[in-house]
Amino acid sequence: MRPDILNPLFAEAKTLDGVGPKLAKPLGKLGLERVKDIAYHLPERFVSRRAIANLDDGAEGEQVIVALTPTEHRAPYNPGRGPYRVLARDEIGNICALTYFGRASYTAKKQLPVGEKRWVAGRLDRYGDMLQIVHPDHVEVDSAAHLARMNEPVYPLSEGLTQPKVAGLVAQSLKRLPELPEWIEPGQFEREGWPTWHDALHLAHKDAHEKARDRLAYDELLANSLALLLVRADGRRRKGQALKGDGRLRAKLALPFEMTGAQKRSISEIEGDLQQEAPMLRLLQGDVGAGKTVVALAAMLIAVEAGKQAALLAPTEILARQHYETLRKMAAPTGAEVALLTGRAKGREREGLLMGLLNGEIDILVGTHAIFQDSVTYKDLGLVVVDEQHRFGVQQRLALAGKGRRAPHTLAMTATPIPRSLTLAQYGEMDVSRLDELPPGRQAIETLVFPQARMDEMVAGVERHLATGQQAYWVCPMVREANGSFEQADIAAAEARYAALAERFGDSVVMVHGQLAPEIKDANMERFASGEARLLIATTVIEVGVDVPTATLMVIEQAERFGLAQLHQLRGRVGRGSQKSRCVLLRSDELSENGKKRLTYIKDSQDGFYLAEKDLELRGGGELLGTRQSGDAAFMIADLEQVQKLLPAAHADARLLIDRDGGLTSARGEAARVLLYLFERDWGVQLLRGG
Ligand code: ADP
Ligand code: MG
């Protein structure tokens, strides 16, 4: 049970003044559902602005505050297409456009009546030969209010929220913070000179207070390490069963290829684990195409040779089906019985499956989470394989682990190469096998860097490519500023590119992005997958789940702004068929040092592990797009640099605490329980009760 002291933090956001149904949606989009979420919604950065007397005084790209008087409102020619602009003049007659995308135009209409002077705060930019401010951060009537804007937090926003609104909610939620017991080890707390939890949250909203930020990040890392160690300790207490295969089924596998060294090594590591009584907890890492499936099959056959059953859990119905087809064919010569169970199986069919599982006729079960519903009972489950590990919570893994008469062994598979220093944070103390060698004969994807400025030549190149009958991807960057402004701006950029390319290529072009209705997105994807559409324009949403072997060209705009891991994932969408594939990275004229390095690394390497290490090395500086969204964010508060800096200490501390006080009953242990609930790692606490 959650300690009462945390109740004010877990109260719903709607208990704050001013939060009604209208705000609930944009808040929900940011995951801000409870008071605690809002208190932890930390500023992305702080802006120091300069008040300028007129626009001549401001530099391009500078954050300014300036008095402007609107002279004219210009609605887009075609509603919903293009931005809404308000033209405004400064004291000496310079004109500036205040530009709004999407529904933000309603705000503009209200806040900027023609002829009335306003204080406008925002980033001064240029649009063609006109000055502009896109989505001003503040528009105020009161001339004194702008003075308060000199060191101002900038919060991540979603459409429907404004900076002042969020700041107001944060202030309210900070008033409700309780005093919590200190869970950080006293010596370390002293040494680091960290503020208390309560003070740290207040400070982190006021300015870029490094100690406060670090403390909050440390809390999260400590909670995570504690929970993972509790799971691990629980696993060790549970008895598993040693599985010794005699090789008779594996010998019958008639594979059309020789296993790579990495595959053989991984299989023997797994075989070693299975022979132990302690349940295996192993992660198999390998890029897309590295050949994880056959390793999983070998592991499952060992279980079957030992007289047990194995189950493979896939994240989606489609993937479950794919796995089932592949495994059934590969396993056919061995005589092992493979079955598929998804949520779709009903009536007789389902009954038959359940019976086969119970009486042991089925050796290998493939399926979605339906395979660990309560009604599914195995005769003797010895091994569970989990594909695409990161999509499953630890909780689910535990539910599955409870299925066997004794704890089954677990093999998790992931296609996301993670730097060695981060596997600990994401996967706890799992043992790791790496498929760091691709099967022979894979086509290298030719990767080129090309100046974005020569767009015309690029488009002509795409035209020639399409004329050969092949298909192509075109990836648009996210143009949004790192200041929490609207997704709308990204979409607008993608829409503009789409409009331009559709003019050239007609209706063989389709587009997908995050704001299309799912059925339209699916229909567009389908048209592309079927070959009816030849060119797919996308924001980074194509990162997941697209497999079109005849798409052999990918163009990535402003490639230098993507992280290496993200570029690698994107590029992995081509090179899937037998034809030679190409990836063109369009780069801006001016590149940062890191931007240049990133392009060089990605051009020269196709090794996901290598690129993941380099990615980590080159992080920081805030110049990357969407790092939070790209799926590497295992943590809510701690960023990658903090993970590297603080995780070793947090992990060591967690281990020491658990060694000394495994039941978390001392005063500090009690405080650690509060921490686990605060970060919702309470599945760790729940294990304590049993043990
Ligand atoms: P992953 O799941 O790691 O993305 P798969 O297991 O689906 O990769 O394998 C990709 C393809 O490579 C499959 O067609 C598989 O049959 C083939 N393959 C696997 N191992 C080898 C190998 N050692 N040599 C040649 N082809 C292989
Ligand atoms: Mg796979």
Side-chain angles (χ1 to χ4, degrees):
M1 269 257 293
R2 185 166 62 223
D4 287 344
I5 194 172
L6 292 175
N7 288 349
L9 292 170
F10 280 83
E12 287 183 51
K14 23 177 217 259
T15 62
L16 295 171
D17 287 342
V19 182
K22 228 169 128 188
L23 269 194
K25 195 174 158 207
L27 287 175
K29 224 176 158 188
L30 293 170
L32 307 181
E33 277 154 13
R34 296 150 310 176
V35 170
K36 144 187 135 66
D37 304 325
I38 294 176
Y40 268 107
H41 191 57
L42 300 181
E44 239 163 24
R45 63 195 171 93
F46 291 82
V47 267
S48 34
R49 297 186 199 280
R50 202 160 64 88
I52 53 175
N54 59 64
L55 293 163
D56 289 346
D57 273 359
E60 230 177 282
E62 193 182 4
Q63 292 284 353
V64 300
I65 303 177
V66 61
L68 296 172
T69 306
T71 55
E72 185 190 342
H73 281 228
R74 282 192 190 160
Y77 185 64
N78 202 338
R81 298 244 156 194
Y84 185 93
R85 289 206 166 83
V86 180
L87 301 187
R89 60 181 295 265
D90 69 2
E91 299 214 311
I92 57 172
N94 292 313
I95 296 287
C96 173
L98 307 173
T99 303
Y100 294 83
F101 291 97
R103 264 171 283 164
S105 60
Y106 297 119
T107 321
K109 284 177 201 159
K110 258 197 313 211
Q111 289 185 331
L112 293 159
V114 168
E116 288 183 34
K117 181 159 120 179
R118 292 287 183 266
W119 294 91
V120 177
R123 201 183 110 118
L124 200 57
D125 271 321
R126 189 164 282 282
Y127 173 73
D129 47 14
M130 203 194 294
L131 287 170
Q132 79 166 348
I133 296 175
V134 179
H135 288 292
D137 294 323
H138 301 279
V139 174
E140 273 153 16
V141 185
D142 178 4
S143 69
H146 82 268
L147 291 174
R149 302 285 179 215
M150 291 303 167
N151 183 32
E152 183 193 320
V154 179
Y155 291 101
L157 297 180
S158 60
E159 196 179 351
L161 288 175
T162 59
Q163 292 295 343
K165 192 90 219 168
V166 173
L169 295 177
V170 166
Q172 280 191 62
S173 66
L174 289 180
K175 285 210 189 89
R176 299 207 196 166
L177 297 187
E179 294 284 349
L180 299 180
E182 187 55 73
W183 44 73
I184 295 178
E185 196 270 318
Q188 176 169 28
F189 183 72
E190 289 287 311
R191 233 179 5 259
E192 299 279 0
W194 279 338
T196 64
W197 171 80
H198 182 278
D199 291 350
L201 266 178
H202 279 268
L203 290 168
H205 285 281
K206 270 208 206 87
D207 57 45
H209 199 294
E210 192 182 336
K211 283 189 189 298
R213 284 262 185 170
D214 279 356
R215 193 240 138 94
L216 297 174
Y218 186 85
D219 290 347
E220 184 178 33
L221 297 171
L222 181 63
N224 191 63
S225 287
L226 277 169
L228 291 169
L229 285 167
L230 289 171
V231 171
R232 186 67 169 162
D234 177 69
R236 290 219 175 93
R237 272 198 303 274
R238 298 169 53 137
K239 273 245 172 122
Q241 42 193 353
L243 304 183
K244 292 201 180 72
D246 56 11
R248 81 194 127 84
L249 299 181
R250 279 170 286 162
K252 287 189 199 151
L253 269 183
L255 295 176
F257 48 76
E258 167 88 1
M259 298 250 203
T260 64
Q263 284 171 321
K264 288 181 193 158
R265 175 165 39 78
S266 300
I267 292 171
S268 78
E269 285 164 354
I270 292 165
E271 185 163 22
D273 284 1
L274 294 176
Q275 286 172 6
Q276 310 302 314
E277 196 161 87
M280 168 172 81
L281 201 53
R282 183 170 284 277
L283 180 71
L284 178 64
Q285 275 189 304
D287 253 327
V288 170
K292 294 184 287 297
T293 317
V294 56
V295 174
L297 176 61
M300 294 193 285
L301 288 176
I302 294 174
V304 179
E305 286 166 9
K308 311 288 175 190
Q309 292 164 304
L312 187 149
L313 177 61
T316 65
E317 177 111 20
I318 296 177
L319 282 172
R321 265 171 214 289
Q322 273 176 13
H323 273 308
Y324 168 68
E325 295 297 340
T326 318
L327 291 172
R328 200 173 47 110
K329 273 186 218 127
M330 280 205 279
T334 69
E337 187 64 34
V338 184
L340 173 72
L341 177 64
T342 70
R344 287 213 197 128
K346 295 270 144 57
R348 276 251 178 99
E349 185 198 348
R350 187 180 151 85
E351 293 297 306
L353 275 169
L354 294 185
M355 187 55 76
L357 274 178
L358 192 55
N359 67 21
E361 269 166 33
I362 295 174
D363 298 308
I364 295 176
L365 183 69
V366 179
T368 55
H369 57 277
I371 68 176
F372 59 89
Q373 283 160 355
D374 284 342
S375 53
V376 181
T377 318
Y378 297 80
K379 176 161 182 250
D380 197 355
L381 181 62
L383 169 68
V384 176
V385 180
V386 185
D387 195 13
E388 288 310 329
Q389 159 76 11
H390 58 280
R391 304 213 204 159
F392 289 96
V394 172
Q395 244 162 344
Q396 275 166 305
R397 236 192 294 148
L398 291 174
L400 202 61
K403 280 277 158 194
R405 274 191 299 164
R406 297 213 181 167
H409 298 276
T410 306
L411 176 68
M413 306 197 286
T414 173
T416 313
I418 297 169
R420 276 185 201 280
S421 56
L422 295 185
T423 33
L424 181 65
Q426 294 208 353
Y427 296 106
E429 299 207 303
M430 291 177 108
D431 300 304
V432 176
S433 295
R434 295 180 144 213
L435 290 183
D436 48 12
E437 178 187 350
L438 286 184
R442 286 291 145 80
Q443 295 237 6
I445 301 166
E446 187 188 351
T447 304
L448 314 157
V449 178
F450 196 75
Q452 177 114 14
R454 285 158 62 186
M455 184 59 80
D456 289 349
E457 289 167 59
M458 186 69 244
V459 174
V462 171
E463 183 158 34
R464 284 193 300 276
H465 177 83
L466 298 181
T468 67
Q470 300 174 77
Q471 289 165 283
Y473 296 105
W474 186 295
V475 181
C476 300
M478 296 188 285
V479 296
R480 97 184 75 174
E481 288 282 315
N483 68 357
S485 68
F486 298 87
E487 209 177 328
Q488 232 67 29
D490 302 349
I491 307 291
E495 296 265 4
R497 180 66 67 217
Y498 171 71
L501 292 171
E503 200 165 297
R504 177 97 171 225
F505 301 119
D507 60 5
S508 63
V509 188
V510 285
M511 172 158 77
V512 291
H513 61 62
Q515 286 204 341
L516 290 178
E519 53 293 356
I520 296 184
K521 200 158 81 187
D522 288 351
N524 286 351
M525 278 310 312
E526 188 49 46
R527 281 193 58 204
F528 184 68
S530 72
E532 194 189 328
R534 320 294 307 165
L535 179 62
L536 179 73
I537 318 274
T539 54
T540 47
V541 294
I542 56 163
E543 254 185 279
V544 281
V546 185
D547 192 2
V548 182
T550 46
T552 48
L553 171 66
M554 172 172 285
V555 179
I556 305 178
E557 281 193 57
Q558 287 189 29
E560 76 276 2
R561 297 185 66 197
F562 291 101
L564 276 174
Q566 210 176 1
L567 287 172
H568 178 65
Q569 291 269 331
L570 284 168
R571 182 175 57 184
R573 297 293 137 205
V574 295
R576 300 202 159 194
S578 50
Q579 271 161 309
K580 180 175 178 57
S581 286
R582 237 182 245 127
C583 175
V584 184
L585 307 167
L586 295 181
R587 65 162 182 83
S588 315
D589 285 342
E590 278 167 43
L591 288 186
S592 68
E593 263 320 294
N594 277 358
K596 233 180 255 168
K597 283 193 189 148
R598 274 197 296 275
L599 292 186
T600 309
Y601 285 135
I602 190 82
K603 193 161 82 66
D604 294 343
S605 172
Q606 243 166 277
D607 176 345
F609 289 106
Y610 171 81
L611 291 172
E613 299 290 346
K614 291 296 170 195
D615 192 42
L616 191 60
E617 210 177 282
L618 296 181
R619 291 263 170 171
E623 54 183 309
L624 287 188
L625 289 163
T627 44
R628 277 276 161 199
Q629 294 98 307
S630 65
D632 61 17
F635 299 104
M636 194 179 67
I637 310 295
D639 63 26
L640 278 170
E641 276 146 80
Q642 287 172 320
V643 170
Q644 285 200 296
K645 181 166 77 169
L646 302 169
L647 183 70
H651 197 75
D653 188 17
R655 183 184 296 232
L656 208 62
L657 177 60
I658 292 200
D659 283 350
R660 284 194 194 143
D661 177 19
L664 298 182
T665 49
S666 64
R668 206 181 145 222
E670 290 286 344
R673 282 176 191 244
V674 173
L675 174 70
L676 286 164
Y677 275 100
L678 178 64
F679 280 98
E680 296 168 81
R681 303 292 207 276
D682 40 306
W683 31 264
V685 182
Q686 276 152 25
L687 291 175
L688 284 174
R689 246 186 285 140

